[in-house]
């Protein structure tokens, strides 16, 4: 089975990593819109337009399904993408919420959602969590985490200062933290050190769990072929993929 994975840039490689690890697909065609990243600061019309253009590009590869790895595009563009595709289109927000539900039996549990400005403003995570009965929700857009991750600063003083800045008003460690941005799984260790005992929800693992439970996808292949495409600086994307997917490609 061949899947298209779309992200605003390199961040979707964290989702790609989970897909490769779980051996669900023979081939992954990845498109990162590196010429126009970030999406998280743009308005809904622009995010939808760019997402539809990415879909048109990926249609050239005869894909069986599309995974929108980008939380921001998942928040705004899913409906339009589905209208324009003849295959299944999955975002990462519903799977992230389901993974949270599977983790937190107690509806009084506290949940911290971390995402881009656009994702947080969309209210998509918050809406779905409220529908599931959770009320104790805080949402935050720690925008500086994105460039910090792209600089490869997965630990150290810069990240620590940024975490102290964004998290200063959070007095109690949340029961779960939704990493609602493709970049944030790369700083899992630092976030876990900061919020000891909190469970972290990772979009990549969540979409795998979702595809396995809701769509009965099973491990099928030993060797996933990964084809990388980008709207700018493909060489940079390849380098990032080599580092982030080190032991997989
Ligand atoms: N890929 C985006 C997301 O998951 C983060 C980077 C951006 O703002 O485009 O929301």
């Amino acid at each position: 089975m061949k899947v298209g994975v779309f992200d605003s840039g390199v961040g979707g490689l964290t989702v790609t990593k989970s897909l490769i690890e779980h051996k669900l697909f023979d081939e992954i065609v990845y498109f990162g819109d590196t010429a126009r990243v970030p999406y998280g600061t743009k308005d809904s019309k622009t995010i939808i337009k760019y997402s539809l253009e990415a879909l048109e590009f990926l249609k050239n590869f005869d894909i069986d399904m599309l995974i929108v790895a980008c939380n921001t595009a998942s928040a705004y563009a899913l409906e339009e993408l589905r209208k324009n595709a003849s295959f299944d289109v999955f975002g990462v927000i519903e799977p992230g919420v389901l993974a949270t539900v599977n983790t937190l039996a107690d509806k009084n549990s506290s949940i911290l959602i971390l995402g881009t400005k656009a994702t947080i403003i969309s209210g998509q995570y918050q809406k779905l969590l409220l529908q599931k009965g959770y009320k104790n929700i805080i949402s935050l857009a720690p925008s500086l985490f994105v460039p910090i991750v792209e600089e490869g600063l997965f630990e150290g003083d810069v990240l620590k200062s940024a975490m102290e800045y964004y998290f200063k008003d959070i007095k109690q460690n949340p029961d779960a933290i939704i990493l609602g941005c493709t970049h944030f799984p790369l700083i899992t260790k630092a976030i876990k050190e900061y919020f000891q005992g909190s469970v972290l929800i990772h979009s990549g693992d969540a979409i795998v769990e979702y595809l396995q439970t809701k769509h009965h996808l099973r491990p099928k292949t030993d060797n996933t072929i990964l084809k990388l495409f980008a709207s700018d600086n493909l060489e940079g994307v390849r380098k990032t993929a080599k580092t982030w997917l080190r032991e997989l490609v």
Side-chain angles (χ1 to χ4, degrees), residues 38-238:
Y39 283 14
T41 51
K42 306 217 162 38
D43 67 23
S44 58
K45 259 170 75 182
T46 306
I47 296 164
I48 292 169
K49 176 174 177 282
Y50 290 175
S51 300
L52 287 172
E53 286 170 12
L55 171 68
E56 286 313 308
F57 175 74
L58 286 165
K59 277 181 183 171
N60 294 317
F61 297 90
D62 208 17
I63 54 177
D64 301 300
M65 73 170 74
L66 173 66
I67 293 177
V68 182
C70 180
N71 283 265
T72 308
S74 297
Y76 291 95
L78 267 197
E79 206 182 308
E80 284 303 315
L81 288 169
R82 284 179 176 148
K83 273 191 215 156
N84 286 280
S86 57
F87 38 77
D88 283 332
V89 179
F90 300 104
V92 284
I93 293 183
E94 196 192 335
V97 169
L98 285 182
T100 310
V101 172
N102 291 340
T103 306
L104 300 176
D106 182 357
K107 301 286 178 191
N108 292 315
S109 303
S110 54
I111 302 171
L112 171 63
I113 307 164
L114 301 177
T116 63
K117 279 202 176 96
T119 298
I120 297 303
I121 290 169
S122 80
Q124 290 291 332
Y125 273 112
Q126 298 91 316
K127 189 181 87 188
L128 292 178
L129 287 166
L130 283 169
Q131 280 172 7
K132 299 283 179 193
Y134 300 95
K135 290 175 200 74
N136 197 354
I137 304 167
I138 299 175
S139 50
L140 269 184
S143 311
L144 287 174
F145 287 3
V146 173
I148 287 174
V149 166
E150 293 200 354
E151 278 295 306
L153 303 174
F154 303 152
E155 54 192 351
D157 290 345
V158 176
L159 178 59
K160 215 168 148 222
S161 306
M163 288 200 301
E164 274 159 12
Y165 171 72
Y166 286 112
F167 298 152
K168 61 181 176 303
D169 294 329
I170 301 176
K171 303 294 175 216
Q172 269 191 338
N173 290 3
D175 294 308
I177 302 173
I178 299 182
L179 303 174
C181 171
T182 46
H183 289 59
F184 299 169
L186 289 149
I187 50 170
T188 293
K189 193 166 160 256
I191 296 177
K192 272 191 171 161
E193 266 163 28
Y194 193 99
F195 289 119
Q196 289 182 17
S198 301
V199 177
L200 268 52
I201 307 292
H202 178 310
S203 297
D205 295 342
I207 184 83
V208 166
E209 188 184 342
Y210 183 86
L211 292 172
Q212 287 179 332
T213 53
K214 300 258 174 200
H215 294 273
H216 312 292
L217 251 66
R218 293 282 166 265
K220 274 191 204 107
T221 175
D222 273 340
N223 228 341
T224 305
I225 298 166
L226 175 62
K227 290 190 176 150
L228 293 174
F229 297 90
S231 49
D232 185 46
N233 190 16
L234 180 58
E235 219 21 68
V237 177
R238 285 212 174 103

